[in-house]
Amino acid sequence: MTLNWFFSRTVRDAASMRRHVWKLLCHQRDILTPQAIEGLQTAMGQVEEGIRQNAAKDDLKQRMQDLEKAANKWLKPYPNASWRENFEVLLVALAVAMGIRTFFLQPFKIPTGSMQPTLYGVISENLLENREIRVPTGWARAKEWFKGASYVHVVAPEDCKVMRVDDPWRILIFNIKQTIWLNGNARTLWFPPDFGGQKLESRAALDPDKTYQKGEDIIKLRVTSGDHLFVDRLSYNFRLPKRGEIVVFETKGIERLPQDQFYIKRLVVLGGEKVQIGNDRHLIINGDRLDATVPHFEKVYSFNPKQPPSDSHYSGHVNEKTVNEWYPTWQGSLAPYFPDQDTAFTVDPGHYMVMGDNTMNSFDSRGWGQFPATNVIGQSWFVYWPLSERFGWGYHR
């Protein structure tokens, strides 16, 4: 058995060597002389014949050595061969990654809180409001980082004002550094967190007119990153999206939205359906009221109807009348498409409507209407960062 194993290994090596030389010959055929091409083909033919005829091990090794000599004699060496090989490996890896991203799984980062408390966007806490809180260090800081929390702490080196704050310098999706100018002197923050579409100045409530005293905290901010998840781009190639699934869609062609972004919301109305938002904060689809017994809406409709709708809590879905009843001084318009429960909207065939779980802080189809089903790229699948209770499939889909 041992001899057979060694022999089969020699055959595999010979076949692999022949394929490698053949590939190089194909690459260089247009720059090689006819004599070189003939010599290489003859040597490859000898190896192939030895494999086909089950030649003895020593005979096959000799044919391999002859092929190696022919290759060294006739093939032209590549400059910086090791760099070239590493570059080819990198290109293959990138191609595989792009293929996975395009057809199977695409990473997605949630910047805003429109899907809270199901999925979280970027959250910040200004620790200046509670000066007794200390910025953790060491292992405590590391444990916070795994939970997605980062700290930005800047102390005045002297009496100074904040002259300006530069935008973060980025590479791909990563913030590398950000510069704060104090009295004209640069202070660099390395690897600042993602501020979820807002600026550091607004998150930290910086006062450009204030003179900070030496040793005084200028910025003391705790930022929790939004959930990072993989989008399943494969399933919807074989079936249509279902009501209640959390979908990711591109905003191109949707009025009142940026034309180059991706949004994540819960799919609530399908093409051809008529929808109303009841004053009890429940959707009515084709005359049927949705409630917590409908799949994917168990938590959305788990609210106490005696409690007012609130930010980042499950509160059902609100229309304008409901908002104004609970909050008479409310400014703005959450649901211009749904002023009250008597207003119905019929979705065109081939279109969808979506709504955020954070009904008091979600700019969704209540504000901009329907969109083509072709805009959907996939459904939320797996939260891979941070290591919170929503990690993996630990969130309500």
Side-chain angles (χ1 to χ4, degrees):
M1 179 178 293
T2 303
L3 290 177
N4 288 338
W5 184 85
F6 274 114
F7 180 72
S8 62
R9 181 180 178 183
T10 303
V11 171
R12 291 197 301 270
D13 290 343
S16 176
M17 182 178 184
R18 182 202 170 279
R19 286 195 300 270
H20 183 64
V21 174
W22 176 80
K23 183 180 75 172
L24 295 176
L25 173 59
C26 291
H27 289 173
Q28 300 184 13
R29 184 179 293 272
D30 57 339
I31 61 175
L32 295 178
T33 64
Q35 183 181 8
I37 295 174
E38 182 179 357
L40 289 167
Q41 289 177 335
T42 299
M44 286 190 295
Q46 291 295 324
V47 171
E48 185 176 4
E49 182 181 1
I51 295 173
R52 188 170 56 251
Q53 295 179 355
N54 293 325
K57 177 181 175 182
D58 291 340
D59 183 21
L60 191 55
K61 282 191 172 183
Q62 182 60 50
R63 294 171 189 248
M64 293 170 62
Q65 291 176 3
D66 293 340
L67 177 57
E68 182 179 8
K69 291 178 181 178
N72 291 333
K73 178 179 180 181
W74 299 114
L75 290 174
K76 298 184 180 298
Y78 288 104
N80 302 316
S82 60
W83 282 96
R84 180 179 181 275
E85 183 175 351
N86 291 335
F87 187 69
E88 287 181 349
V89 171
L90 177 61
L91 287 180
V92 171
L94 288 175
V96 171
M98 290 300 295
I100 293 175
R101 182 184 184 278
T102 302
F103 300 105
F104 297 97
L105 297 174
Q106 177 176 336
F108 182 81
K109 179 171 61 176
I110 299 180
T112 68
S114 68
M115 283 299 295
Q116 293 175 194
T118 304
L119 293 167
Y120 274 69
V122 176
I123 301 173
S124 64
E125 180 183 2
N126 192 348
L127 302 182
L128 291 177
E129 299 173 358
N130 188 345
R131 298 184 180 277
E132 296 181 358
I133 297 179
R134 295 182 177 274
V135 176
T137 58
W139 176 239
R141 182 76 168 262
K143 289 194 294 184
E144 289 274 311
W145 183 81
F146 280 109
K147 295 179 182 178
S150 300
Y151 290 85
V152 182
H153 192 200
V154 178
V155 178
E158 58 185 18
D159 294 353
C160 61
K161 286 188 174 183
V162 178
M163 307 304 293
R164 77 171 192 268
V165 180
D166 294 343
D167 292 334
W169 182 63
R170 301 170 61 87
I171 295 180
L172 299 177
I173 63 173
F174 303 102
N175 290 336
I176 306 301
K177 67 176 183 176
Q178 187 171 16
T179 303
I180 301 177
W181 295 87
L182 308 175
N183 283 354
N185 298 316
R187 170 70 182 273
T188 300
L189 302 176
W190 291 101
F191 305 108
D194 181 0
F195 299 111
Q198 297 187 30
K199 291 183 176 293
L200 174 59
E201 303 94 288
S202 60
R203 289 278 185 185
L206 288 177
D207 185 353
D209 297 324
K210 179 179 179 179
T211 298
Y212 294 89
Q213 305 300 312
K214 181 178 180 180
E216 182 181 0
D217 289 330
I218 299 176
I219 301 174
K220 193 177 181 182
L221 190 66
R222 183 181 190 268
V223 181
T224 303
S225 67
D227 288 335
H228 294 53
L229 55 85
F230 287 119
V231 178
D232 171 11
R233 301 200 62 162
L234 183 64
S235 295
Y236 290 161
N237 292 320
F238 301 97
R239 68 170 179 86
L240 294 175
K242 299 177 182 178
R243 189 190 328 281
E245 292 181 334
I246 299 174
V247 299
V248 176
F249 58 96
E250 57 181 342
T251 59
K252 184 178 180 180
I254 303 177
E255 293 185 7
R256 302 187 65 192
L257 293 185
Q259 298 298 294
D260 58 350
Q261 296 184 14
F262 293 92
Y263 277 17
I264 182 168
K265 307 285 183 186
R266 192 178 297 275
L267 179 61
V268 295
V269 193
L270 308 178
E273 294 181 332
K274 182 175 70 173
V275 58
Q276 300 162 264
I277 300 180
N279 294 336
D280 60 355
R281 293 184 259 165
H282 286 253
L283 291 179
I284 303 170
I285 308 294
N286 292 337
D288 295 326
R289 177 179 177 271
L290 301 188
D291 57 29
T293 65
V294 178
H296 305 297
F297 289 90
E298 295 88 348
K299 291 187 177 181
V300 175
Y301 293 131
S302 64
F303 64 93
N304 182 349
K306 296 181 180 180
Q307 297 294 325
S310 57
D311 187 9
S312 298
H313 291 82
Y314 292 115
S315 302
H317 299 100
V318 297
N319 56 34
E320 286 298 319
K321 181 178 180 180
T322 302
V323 174
N324 292 328
E325 286 179 350
W326 283 103
Y327 302 99
T329 61
W330 180 269
Q331 299 293 324
S333 178
L334 273 178
Y337 276 77
F338 299 94
D340 52 48
Q341 71 173 8
D342 296 324
T343 303
F345 184 92
T346 301
V347 178
D348 293 336
H351 288 69
Y352 296 138
M353 293 188 94
V354 293
M355 296 182 189
D357 288 358
N358 189 5
T359 190
M360 292 299 293
N361 190 11
S362 175
F363 188 44
D364 50 38
S365 287
R366 296 171 300 161
W368 42 260
Q370 62 185 0
F371 68 94
T374 53
N375 282 38
V376 174
I377 68 166
Q379 65 173 323
S380 67
W381 183 66
F382 186 95
V383 174
Y384 64 88
W385 183 260
L387 304 184
S388 66
E389 65 275 7
R390 296 176 303 281
F391 177 79
W393 295 276
Y395 64 98
H396 183 248
R397 298 179 61 202

